[in-house]
Amino acid sequence: MTAPPRTTEESASSLRDYRTPETLPRPGGRLTKEDLDPLVKDAGEGNPAAIHSLLQMIEPVVVRYCRARMGGRDLSYLSADDVAQEVCLAVLKALPDYQDRGGSFLYLVHAIAANKVADAYRAVARDRSEPVPELPERPLVAGNEPESHALHLDLGARLGRLLASLPRVQQEILTLRIAVGFSATETAEALGISPGNVRVTQHRALTRLRGMIRDEEF
C-alpha cells in the first residue's frame, strides 16, 4: 500500500537538523540517473524512508552548490545555507508531480538550485538599502591578522570576478565539477549535455582562467 504524500510541514521537519557541509560529506554512491531513478520513484509515491534517503543524498551537493555560487556571502540576511534549505524544500514539494521523461532527476535539482540562487541575487538588487556583508563563512587557516584577513577577502573577490566573466555554462561546469565534486557524467546529467561536452568545456574554462590570472599577475 502506497503511503500518503507528506505535507509541507512534514517535509520541513526533515530539514530541522540542517547541518553544514563539513558534517555532510558527499555520499560515496553516485547520483546518476540509473542510481537515482528507483529512489526518486519511491520518494514520489510518498515512501518516508525513500524521501529521507533522497534528501540525504542531495543535501550535501545542494549546500556546496549554493555556497560556491554565492561566494560565501549573505545576501540581505539570506545566507547560502538558507538558500540551500529552500532548494531542498522545493525539491521535496516537486517530488509528487515529478515525471520521468528520459532525463535525470539531477537536472531538476540543478534547475531549482540555480533559480533559487538567482532569486537571492535579484532580491538584494531590489533592496540596496541593506549592506551586503562580504565576510567568509569559514575561519581563515593562516591566522586572523587584519592584513591576512583583507588579503583573503581581496583574493576571493578577484577570483569571483574572474569566474563571473566566463560564459554561464562554463561557470556551472566548474562549480559542479570542482566545488560540488560531481563526475563528468553527473555534471552532464545535471546540465542536460553530454559528458564529452562537459570535459571539453571544462578544459576551455580552465585554460581561459589561467590566461586571465596570468594577465592580472595574481
Side-chain angles (χ1 to χ4, degrees), residues 47 52 56 106 199:
N47 183 322
H52 179 71
Q56 281 193 315
L106 275 185
R199 295 186 182 95

Side-chain angles (χ1 to χ4, degrees), residues 5 12 22 29 79-80 82 84 92 94 99 127 139 156 173 179 190-191 207 211 214 218:
E22 289 80 3
S79 71
D82 292 330
L92 291 177
Q99 296 181 5
D127 183 9
I173 286 175
L191 297 177
T207 299
R214 185 174 57 250
F218 238 66

Side-chain angles (χ1 to χ4, degrees), residues 81-103:
D81 287 358
D82 292 330
V83 175
Q85 188 167 8
E86 289 186 8
V87 173
C88 290
L89 280 171
V91 170
L92 291 177
K93 290 178 182 178
L95 271 174
D97 298 322
Y98 176 74
Q99 296 181 5
D100 182 5
R101 294 187 172 91

Side-chain angles (χ1 to χ4, degrees), residues 173 177 183-185 193-205:
I173 286 175
R177 291 284 280 136
S183 66
T185 299
I193 59 180
S194 71
N197 196 349
V198 168
R199 295 186 182 95
V200 170
T201 304
Q202 179 182 348
H203 176 74
R204 290 174 178 169

